[in-house]
Amino acid sequence: MEETYLLNVEGVKKKILHGGRGELPKLQDGSKFTFHFQTLKDDFERTVIDDSREAGMPMEIIVGKMFKLEIWETLLSSMRIGEVAEFWCDAIHTGMYALVSRGMRRIAEGRDPLEGQKHRCGMGNMFDYHSTGYDDLDELQRMPQPLIFIMELFRVEDPSAYKRDTWAMSKEEKLAAVPVLHSEGNRLVLRREFAQAAAKYQEAVICLRNLQAKEKPWEDGWLKLESLVTPLVLNYCQCQLELGEYYEVLEHTTELLQKHNDNAKAYFKRAKAHAAVWNEREAREDFQRVAHLDPSMAAAVKKELKQLGERMRKKHVEDRKRYQGLFQSSQG
């Protein structure tokens, strides 16, 4: 028999369609819900707006991370694992649904859910969009109305039970993740798995940059984080040198040197990238800066300059032969 009752929340009614198992899950900040959902209009036809099964992927949200449609966290918190329930929600809870749906549809289509977004907050986005790009969602945006959500809860995971995306981590979790990612990257370098190592270093940098964004530039907190960022960026650049991504190395080392113009290792990696793409003058200048900043690297610089000279001579000889061949064929 169907059981219908009000949740202890204004403007919400719940109907259990299929009972779940066990007790209500114990939730904490960072717990992750995985579920399927259908969104229906509260009209005679019960018009379907979205169906995660048709999109081919279940939905995931994380407790305490300010999901735009806050009421969903409340609804899911009332469910047991395996339960299927129908929720009627008044318009006071559904005003943001058009934006949430737009993002989910874009992800399902393989597009960037934030494409064209200028503001960070939900209400800013609401005013920014003249159109969501979907007619049915534009109607919901113009005329907020009650909606029906049918949800099936598959699982609830504790924060420790799954790999957290960087954006979902707390400050403490990000700081704890950095040395782990750094050592994983180093281990992968020893195995010469440079692409995988670069990804680890990059993830660690993202953690630190997210934290830096909340600090005032060049003050103590910011500088402390920057001191952790610098070696990670240099390691990332070394991986990119090994992978032949020379222009990416030029970009990252130049950005680093704009902040830290006395970093000999950054000049050394940039010089090697310049040499690889035949920027002889720039490579020589950077190598000379390295020797000036760090005399202990003088031997390595001397070796690199010798190799650069040999490569450039060989290139000039090959270029001369090619031009002579072109000139002779045009004469003939």
Side-chain angles (χ1 to χ4, degrees):
M1 180 179 173
E2 292 180 350
E3 182 181 3
T4 305
Y5 58 92
L6 290 171
L7 279 175
N8 190 25
V9 180
E10 183 185 354
V12 176
K13 297 176 188 174
K14 176 180 178 181
K15 181 190 293 183
I16 295 177
L17 304 181
H18 178 77
R21 57 186 182 275
E23 300 297 316
L24 286 173
K26 292 184 173 64
L27 301 174
Q28 55 184 302
D29 269 10
S31 294
K32 181 167 75 172
F33 293 112
T34 303
F35 60 101
H36 267 306
F37 73 94
Q38 259 193 332
T39 304
L40 316 173
K41 282 188 177 182
D42 184 23
D43 57 13
F44 182 76
E45 295 85 3
R46 285 169 60 100
T47 306
V48 177
I49 300 170
D50 289 306
D51 186 335
S52 62
R53 283 188 173 81
E54 283 190 8
M57 66 176 97
M59 183 73 183
E60 295 177 348
I61 65 173
I62 294 173
V63 174
K65 293 304 173 186
M66 297 178 68
F67 183 65
K68 282 194 182 94
L69 204 65
E70 291 177 30
I71 194 63
W72 273 18
E73 191 175 307
T74 303
L75 306 183
L76 290 161
S77 300
S78 78
M79 298 177 70
R80 291 171 169 80
I81 306 300
E83 181 178 321
V84 182
E86 177 177 309
F87 300 90
W88 177 92
C89 294
D90 198 357
I92 58 170
H93 299 297
T94 64
M96 299 300 294
Y97 184 77
L99 288 182
V100 172
S101 175
R102 175 186 189 268
M104 292 187 294
R105 291 183 188 187
R106 282 177 168 268
I107 291 168
E109 292 163 6
R111 298 161 67 192
D112 179 359
L114 301 179
E115 184 183 310
Q117 188 166 305
K118 294 178 185 174
H119 306 291
R120 294 187 179 209
C121 69
M123 289 310 293
N125 289 328
M126 182 68 82
F127 292 118
D128 181 42
Y129 296 131
H130 299 296
S131 170
T132 62
Y134 304 94
D135 291 343
D136 57 339
L137 299 183
D138 286 347
E139 180 196 339
L140 291 180
Q141 194 164 265
R142 282 193 303 272
M143 296 183 296
Q145 56 196 269
L147 294 173
I148 296 164
F149 303 113
I150 300 175
M151 294 178 158
E152 179 179 1
L153 181 60
F154 295 134
R155 60 182 173 271
V156 178
E157 296 169 276
D158 289 338
S160 60
Y162 65 94
K163 186 178 184 299
R164 312 278 303 275
D165 289 330
T166 300
W167 64 267
M169 291 180 182
S170 67
K171 177 180 178 179
E172 292 73 23
E173 287 167 335
K174 285 174 184 167
L175 284 171
V178 168
V180 175
L181 291 165
H182 198 156
S183 63
E184 285 177 357
N186 292 349
R187 181 176 54 81
L188 288 162
V189 165
L190 290 173
R191 290 162 52 178
R192 301 192 64 77
E193 295 177 15
F194 297 113
Q196 296 90 327
K200 295 292 182 185
Y201 296 137
Q202 187 176 43
E203 191 176 346
V205 169
I206 289 168
C207 284
L208 293 168
R209 292 292 191 214
N210 286 346
L211 294 173
Q212 263 191 322
K214 295 169 185 169
E215 302 283 347
K216 287 189 178 177
W218 302 105
E219 292 197 356
D220 287 348
W222 188 94
L223 288 168
K224 199 170 185 179
L225 293 166
E226 185 69 13
S227 70
L228 298 174
V229 168
T230 301
L232 288 162
V233 172
L234 290 171
N235 287 1
Y236 175 82
C237 288
Q238 184 59 41
C239 290
Q240 297 305 321
L241 281 173
E242 298 285 354
L243 294 166
E245 299 291 346
Y246 304 119
Y247 289 102
E248 186 156 357
V249 176
L250 292 175
E251 178 187 342
H252 287 287
T253 50
T254 299
E255 185 182 334
L256 194 62
L257 288 164
Q258 285 168 352
K259 297 177 191 169
H260 312 287
N261 64 2
D262 59 349
N263 191 303
K265 288 180 179 176
Y267 280 118
F268 189 77
K269 293 184 196 308
R270 190 171 75 171
K272 284 177 72 72
H274 275 309
V277 296
W278 308 106
N279 296 339
E280 183 181 13
R281 179 179 59 80
E282 292 88 344
R284 288 186 180 281
E285 286 175 359
D286 278 352
F287 279 132
Q288 283 158 7
R289 282 196 192 100
V290 172
H292 174 71
L293 288 167
D294 187 351
S296 72
M297 296 181 73
V301 166
K302 187 176 178 182
K303 181 182 173 185
E304 292 290 341
L305 285 170
K306 185 180 176 186
Q307 288 178 352
L308 176 61
E310 289 170 357
R311 285 184 69 233
M312 294 309 299
R313 277 192 293 276
K314 193 179 287 187
K315 182 175 186 292
H316 293 323
V317 169
E318 288 171 357
D319 286 349
R320 236 187 344 263
K321 285 179 181 172
R322 189 160 52 249
Y323 294 143
Q324 284 173 351
L326 286 169
F327 179 73
Q328 285 167 359
S329 63
S330 66
Q331 290 288 316

